[in-house]
């Protein structure tokens, strides 16, 4: 080990000169001393460093430089792939720059590479160095005095040529041009030296190879959580997280975007806050992630980002502020919409500065994002009027996009159009929520377009929640036409049948001319059909069918006939199938292939439920599945698979049912999710049947689907009684009494229960009360 502190300044300089392969005479000339003085210094160095030769002194000098790599004592987590990639890049390229956002760990990675590599490292910190002092600072670390030569970089090259060195230039951001010039001179003068730089932006030099350092993966067992656990142990001592705590830490790491600096700061907060309180703190922003020491740019996230903010040009700050005001990701087109023409070029510069990050997933158009912590930092420096203007422009842009998609949705079932609609959904939801407060007319427009998309393509839970919010809003209802109410109500038939009822009643009060009467009767027919009010549904639909024919509206005619099939399917399967077939013909005339397929699925499902025409039903279900796979409609595929599984008659558990359940959960189709859960419960073991039936009841209650609620509760009563959970069975019977009435519920009781039922009146009342309290 080299004891650097034992050497005098002149001895240190002499040792560095020896490492540069200078003779005693050359050293004397450089230092302006006598050769005898140099010999005296070398003799002292041999004695102090236990070096018996000049070669041993060179080795000692190299070890002395290696000792300048000061690596933090904390463990190095989650960067094995980056270590290997940068190491491999340095084998191929003489200059590698690690680029990444503030706090991503660029310096730590560079130091680890410097300490572990075969090349003697020379580490030069440039954070506080002016451009004019870059070369002098490199020379100083190498061991040269700044006045020793006019060609300092050439002298540095000579000094490091003795053995292939690694020059680490850390934090180059403020002196990029000077670094570019210095490295160019160094590499031109030396064939053996390699350069490893760190910066938030590429230096931009010839021959520079980039390694982009991304934040850590944030899955529950990934590197981000491992780092959080490690730093938590430093903060609070021994710490073995439970599974719940690991899940909480994964949520925290996702909130922090896997940024190592943010994770360190958050873990340090555990000295003062429990994990759940830390989560709540982060819900209100990142301001609480602070520490008293060290007083550097890494003391807080704000100081880390501020260091880069100061380097930006005015145009870059302006575009970054507008991008931060967007609710989510963006592409170059959207950047120009909310900023200004030409903003796309600025976005690319911000990418170079690691202030904008590309999304991992590849789409037809490349999309980008800001890290959440950076977004908050920028928004704190953005005028509220700018934020409002950006959100208004964002809303107008996506309102127009949604109208365009809705206009073609009935006749374009291509996977490309479905993918465009799915990609736009998150932005459309955000725009609708903003518009609900600031521009209800735009909120209504977006909600009706979302409704058409949800019906035609693959719906999603967030979009259905948004549509429900809009459909309940008084101002949106006031502005809505009957055509709007029909669109909203059709989408809500997946989600909340009470809303469908409310919208149908509102439409009926506004029906004044044939088109508005058609839409009102059309929607009222669906509301009644789904609530099993068969006669009322058929009465509405007769009027709607006549008007659709008179107005030559083939799509409405198909939809009205499909509603008739829904109303009849539990009463008269043959008549229902005939109605669905007639609906298919009308939909085909309207060019709506998706609804042709959907009506075919309903034919198959009706036949399966009635146990008739099973061979035809199997063929219809297969046709549905083939269509759905061809256009990528996962929702329709789930319908087909559910029907096919029902038709199999197999009583054994089927993994396809689990896939179908997952799909219905994803798209938010609560009615079909209930049906799938009931099917799975019917095939499940006695132990698994009860939780499945409970979930089926809860889902149908959320959908306000009273028919499926009563089916689920009735089966749950039987399952609980058979398992010996008699008290719980009677509680559920109380719920069934609330749904169906006392007499009808008792008719559906297991026979042994009837004998004991009078002794359970208190328990029965508990179930009624629970049902009455259910929203």
């Amino acid at each position: 080990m080299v004891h650097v502190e034992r050497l005098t300044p002149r001895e240190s300089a002499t040792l560095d000169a020896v490492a540069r392969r200078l003779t005693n005479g050359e050293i004397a000339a450089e230092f302006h001393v006598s050769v005898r003085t140099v010999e005296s210094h070398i003799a002292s160095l041999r004695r102090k460093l236990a070096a018996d030769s000049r070669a041993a002194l060179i080795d000692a000098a190299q070890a002395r430089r290696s000792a300048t790599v000061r690596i933090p004592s904390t463990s190095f987590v989650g960067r094995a792939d980056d270590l290997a990639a940068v190491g491999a890049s340095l084998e191929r390229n003489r200059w590698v720059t690690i680029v990444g956002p503030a706090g991503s760990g660029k310096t730590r990675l560079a130091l680890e590479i410097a300490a572990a590599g075969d090349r003697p490292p020379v580490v030069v910190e440039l954070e506080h160095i002016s451009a004019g002092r870059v070369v002098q600072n490199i020379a100083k670390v190498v061991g040269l005095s700044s006045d020793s030569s006019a060609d300092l970089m050439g002298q540095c090259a000579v000094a490091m040529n003795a053995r292939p060195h690694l020059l680490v230039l850390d934090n180059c951001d403020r002196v990029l041009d000077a670094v570019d010039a210095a490295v160019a001179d160094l590499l031109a003068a030396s064939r053996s030296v390699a350069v490893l730089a760190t910066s938030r932006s590429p230096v931009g030099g010839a021959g520079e190879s980039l390694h982009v350092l991304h934040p850590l993966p944030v899955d529950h067992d990934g590197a981000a959580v491992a780092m959080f656990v490690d730093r938590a142990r430093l903060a609070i001592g021994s710490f073995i997280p439970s599974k719940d705590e690991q899940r909480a830490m994964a949520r925290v790491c996702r909130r922090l975007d896997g940024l190592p600096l943010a994770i360190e700061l958050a873990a340090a907060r555990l000295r003062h806050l429990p994990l759940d309180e830390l989560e709540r703190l982060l819900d209100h922003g990142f301001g609480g992630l602070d520490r008293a020491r060290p007083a550097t740019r890494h003391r807080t996230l704000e100081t880390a980002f501020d260091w880069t903010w100061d380097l930006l040009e005015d145009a870059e700050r302006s575009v970054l502020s507008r991008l931060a005001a967007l609710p989510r990701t963006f592409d170059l087109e959207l950047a120009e919409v909310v900023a200004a023409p030409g903003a796309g070029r600025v976005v690319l510069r911000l990418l170079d500065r690691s202030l904008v990050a590309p999304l991992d997933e590849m789409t037809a158009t490349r999309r980008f994002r800001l890290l959440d912590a950076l977004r908050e930092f920028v928004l704190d420096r953005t005028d509220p009027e700018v934020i409002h203007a950006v959100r208004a422009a964002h809303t107008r842009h996506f309102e127009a996009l949604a109208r365009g998609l809705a206009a073609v949705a009935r006749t374009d079932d291509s996977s490309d159009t479905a993918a465009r609609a799915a990609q736009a959904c998150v932005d459309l939801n955000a725009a609708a929520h903003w518009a609900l407060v600031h521009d209800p007319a735009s909120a209504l427009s977006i909600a009706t377009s979302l409704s058409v998309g949800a019906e035609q393509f693959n719906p999603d839970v967030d979009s259905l929640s948004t549509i429900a919010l809009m459909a309940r809003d008084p101002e949106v209802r006031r502005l809505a036409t009957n055509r709007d109410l029909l669109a909203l109500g059709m989408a809500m038939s997946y989600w909340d049948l009470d809303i469908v009822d409310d919208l149908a009643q509102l439409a009926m009060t506004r029906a004044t001319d044939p088109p508005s009467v058609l839409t009102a009767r059309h929607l009222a027919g669906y509301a009644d059909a789904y609530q099993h009010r068969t006669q009322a549904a058929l009465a509405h639909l007769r009027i709607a069918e006549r008007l659709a024919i008179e107005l030559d509206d083939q799509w409405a005619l198909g939809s009205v006939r499909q509603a008739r099939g829904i109303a009849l399917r539990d009463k008269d399967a043959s008549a229902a199938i005939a109605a669905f077939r007639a609906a298919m013909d009308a939909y085909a005339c309207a060019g709506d292939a998706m609804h042709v397929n959907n009506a075919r699925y309903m034919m198959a499902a009706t036949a399966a439920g009635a146990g008739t025409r099973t061979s035809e039903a199997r063929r219809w279900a297969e046709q549905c599945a083939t269509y759905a796979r061809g256009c990528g409609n996962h929702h329709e595929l789930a319908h087909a698979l559910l029907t096919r599984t029902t038709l199999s008659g197999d009583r054994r558990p089927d993994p396809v049912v689990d896939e179908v359940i997952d799909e219905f959960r994803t798209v938010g189709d609560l009615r079909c999710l209930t049906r799938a859960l009931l099917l799975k419960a019917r095939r499940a073991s006695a132990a698994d049947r009860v939780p499945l039936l409970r979930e089926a009841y809860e889902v149908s209650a959320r959908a306000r689907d009273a028919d499926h609620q009563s089916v689920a509760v009735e089966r749950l009563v039987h399952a609980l009684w058979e398992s010996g959970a008699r008290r719980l069975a009677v509680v559920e019977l109380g719920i069934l009494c609330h749904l169906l009435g006392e007499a009808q519920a008792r008719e559906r009781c297991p026979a042994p229960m009837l004998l004991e039922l009078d002794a359970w009146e208190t328990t029965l009342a508990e179930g009624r009360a629970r049902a009455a309290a259910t929203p």
Side-chain angles (χ1 to χ4, degrees):
M1 179 178 179
V2 179
H3 298 287
V4 178
E5 68 277 8
R6 294 172 54 198
L7 304 184
T8 67
R10 180 57 73 184
E11 288 170 343
S12 295
T14 302
L15 182 63
D16 289 329
V18 170
R20 286 184 279 134
R21 300 298 200 272
L22 298 184
T23 66
N24 288 0
E26 289 169 333
I27 296 172
E30 183 173 304
F31 292 171
H32 306 291
V33 297
S34 67
V35 172
R36 186 176 292 277
T37 300
V38 173
E39 290 173 348
S40 174
H41 288 321
I42 289 176
S44 179
L45 286 169
R46 286 183 175 179
R47 177 177 54 80
K48 289 182 176 182
L49 300 176
D52 58 4
S53 66
R54 208 170 183 91
L57 285 177
I58 292 172
D59 289 341
Q62 292 166 348
R64 181 171 177 255
R65 281 202 189 97
S66 296
T68 66
V69 182
R70 297 179 180 177
I71 300 176
S73 59
T74 52
S75 61
F76 189 54
V77 178
R79 294 299 192 191
D81 290 345
D82 294 291
L83 275 172
V86 176
S89 186
L90 282 169
E91 292 294 323
R92 299 188 303 269
N93 308 287
R94 296 181 60 204
W95 179 8
V96 177
T97 300
I98 302 171
V99 295
S104 58
K106 300 180 293 296
T107 296
R108 179 64 183 272
L109 177 61
L111 293 178
E112 293 284 345
I113 291 167
D118 295 331
R119 295 171 173 268
V122 176
V123 179
V124 182
E125 171 58 60
L126 299 176
E127 179 178 350
H128 302 296
I129 302 301
S130 66
R133 297 291 301 172
V134 168
V135 173
Q136 288 87 342
N137 209 55
I138 294 171
K140 179 180 178 182
V141 177
V142 170
L144 299 174
S145 61
S146 60
D147 58 351
S148 63
S149 171
D151 182 15
L152 274 179
M153 287 313 299
Q155 289 297 309
C156 289
V158 172
M160 291 187 284
N161 263 340
R163 183 179 172 192
H165 279 69
L166 176 66
L167 174 62
V168 178
L169 301 176
D170 193 25
N171 295 308
C172 300
D173 299 79
R174 295 180 182 271
V175 288
L176 295 175
D177 290 341
V179 168
D180 186 10
V183 173
D185 289 345
L186 177 66
L187 296 182
S190 171
R191 293 294 178 186
S192 62
V193 175
V195 176
L196 179 61
T198 72
S199 177
R200 301 179 194 187
S201 307
V203 176
E208 178 187 26
S209 175
L210 300 179
H211 177 83
V212 180
L213 189 62
H214 298 288
L216 295 169
V218 294
D219 42 306
H220 75 278
D221 57 352
V225 172
M227 182 179 184
F228 191 99
V229 172
D230 179 80
R231 301 311 191 257
R233 286 173 179 152
L234 293 177
I236 59 177
S238 178
F239 178 54
I240 302 176
S242 65
K243 288 185 178 180
D244 286 344
E245 287 172 326
Q246 277 194 310
R247 285 189 286 269
M249 287 186 292
R251 291 193 297 270
V252 167
C253 290
R254 280 192 291 273
R255 180 75 175 91
L256 300 173
D257 282 313
L259 202 61
L261 174 60
I263 292 171
E264 287 202 351
L265 294 172
R269 293 290 86 192
L270 294 183
R271 291 177 53 226
H272 309 296
L273 299 174
L275 186 56
D276 57 350
E277 194 169 337
L278 174 62
E279 271 199 274
R280 290 193 293 272
L281 176 71
L282 291 174
D283 286 340
H284 300 288
F286 301 94
L289 300 185
D290 196 351
R291 54 185 172 189
R293 299 279 301 166
T296 67
R297 62 185 169 86
H298 286 158
R299 185 175 68 84
T300 68
L301 286 173
E302 183 172 3
T303 56
F305 292 133
D306 208 29
W307 198 74
T308 306
W309 181 260
D310 290 344
L311 296 176
L312 298 180
E313 300 172 6
D314 289 343
E316 291 171 333
R317 287 197 192 96
S318 175
V319 170
L320 189 61
S321 294
R322 284 161 172 77
L323 297 179
L326 289 170
R328 63 178 300 269
T329 64
F330 56 91
D331 56 19
L332 296 182
E333 179 188 3
L334 182 56
E336 301 220 353
V337 166
V338 302
R345 296 192 298 272
V346 180
V347 171
L348 297 178
R349 296 210 304 269
L350 294 171
L351 275 163
D352 279 344
R353 292 186 181 277
S354 302
L355 292 169
V356 169
L359 284 189
D360 292 336
E361 62 263 25
M362 293 298 292
T363 57
T365 302
R366 193 68 192 267
R367 298 189 69 81
F368 309 96
R369 71 186 185 106
L370 272 65
L371 300 180
D372 279 349
L374 175 61
R375 182 191 303 278
E376 183 176 303
F377 169 88
V378 175
L379 287 177
D380 284 344
R381 288 154 180 77
T382 303
D383 189 325
E385 291 185 3
V386 170
I387 297 173
H388 182 92
V390 168
R391 293 305 302 270
H394 173 269
T395 296
R396 290 192 299 270
H397 176 75
F398 279 97
E399 181 184 355
L401 176 65
R403 280 200 304 266
L405 287 169
V408 302
R410 302 291 191 202
T411 55
D412 183 353
D413 61 352
S414 66
S415 56
D416 287 345
T417 301
R420 286 173 57 217
Q423 182 176 307
C425 275
V426 177
D427 274 299
L428 289 171
N429 287 316
H433 282 262
W434 184 87
L436 188 61
V437 176
H438 301 281
D439 186 358
S442 289
L444 171 62
S445 173
I446 294 169
T448 54
S449 297
L450 269 176
S451 297
V452 173
E455 192 182 356
Q456 293 294 134
F457 305 119
N458 295 303
D460 66 276
V461 171
D462 290 340
S463 294
L464 292 175
S465 297
T466 295
I467 295 166
L469 178 66
M470 304 297 145
R472 292 189 184 102
D473 184 79
E475 183 62 13
V476 169
R477 287 190 178 209
R478 186 185 69 79
L479 294 170
T481 65
N482 269 17
R483 184 174 291 276
D484 296 329
L485 296 174
L486 175 64
L488 297 172
M490 296 292 281
M492 285 294 92
S493 64
Y494 300 126
W495 186 256
D496 190 325
L497 293 178
D498 281 358
I499 292 179
V500 182
D501 263 338
D502 289 347
L503 296 177
Q505 292 170 21
L506 180 59
M508 289 294 291
T509 66
R510 297 179 177 179
T512 56
D513 59 3
S516 63
V517 172
L518 168 58
T519 52
R521 296 286 186 171
H522 185 170
L523 182 55
Y526 265 98
D528 287 334
Y530 278 125
Q531 297 282 23
H532 301 274
R533 300 186 291 258
T534 304
Q535 293 308 313
L538 295 176
H540 286 303
L541 295 170
R542 277 193 294 272
I543 298 171
E545 183 174 25
R546 174 177 57 78
L547 288 170
I549 294 170
E550 290 175 4
L551 295 170
D552 193 24
D553 188 335
Q554 288 295 318
W555 189 88
L557 181 60
S559 185
V560 166
R561 287 172 173 171
Q562 187 171 9
R564 178 186 293 123
I566 293 168
L568 291 170
R569 60 186 171 184
D570 292 333
K571 306 291 184 181
D572 185 340
S574 295
I577 290 172
F580 290 136
R581 191 180 293 281
M584 290 171 63
D585 293 339
Y587 282 137
C589 290
D592 189 343
M594 193 289 293
H595 270 96
V596 170
N597 187 74
N598 187 254
R600 182 184 291 115
Y601 141 70
M602 289 190 174
M603 287 168 56
T606 300
T612 61
R613 304 173 67 168
T614 53
S615 60
E616 288 180 285
R618 289 191 185 92
R619 176 167 52 83
W620 295 333
E622 287 303 324
Q623 290 171 339
C624 291
T626 300
Y627 167 85
R629 290 191 183 98
C631 61
N633 194 317
H634 307 301
H635 189 204
E636 286 300 304
L637 181 59
H639 283 149
L641 294 179
L642 178 62
T643 303
R644 191 173 69 182
T645 306
T646 304
L647 284 163
S648 73
D650 196 335
R651 302 291 294 185
R652 294 171 298 178
D654 186 343
V656 171
V657 179
D658 292 327
E659 296 173 19
V660 167
I661 287 171
D662 288 342
E663 180 61 29
F664 286 139
R665 281 200 183 105
T666 299
V667 302
D669 187 343
L670 300 184
R671 287 186 297 101
C672 288
L673 174 57
T674 302
R675 292 173 52 229
L677 289 166
L678 290 173
L679 177 62
K680 184 175 180 179
R682 194 171 68 196
R683 298 179 173 203
S685 65
D688 294 335
R689 192 173 303 134
V690 168
L692 287 167
L693 291 170
R694 285 196 190 282
E695 185 179 0
Y697 167 72
E698 290 164 2
V699 171
S700 58
R702 280 166 47 205
R704 310 298 197 274
D705 186 350
D707 185 63
H708 278 123
Q709 277 182 271
S710 60
V711 170
V713 175
E714 179 185 350
R715 294 182 186 176
L716 183 56
V717 169
H718 285 260
L720 287 167
W721 190 269
E722 290 167 7
S723 69
R726 296 190 168 192
R727 183 182 182 281
L728 291 176
V730 177
V731 171
E732 299 299 333
L733 178 60
I735 295 174
L736 193 61
C737 289
H738 180 82
L739 293 172
L740 300 178
E742 184 90 20
Q744 192 174 353
R746 282 177 177 264
E747 288 176 6
R748 303 188 182 192
C749 288
M753 184 186 292
L754 290 172
L755 298 175
E756 301 184 27
L757 197 55
D758 292 339
W760 296 87
E761 281 301 325
T762 302
T763 304
L764 199 63
E766 180 185 333
R768 291 194 195 95
R770 182 184 298 175
T774 301

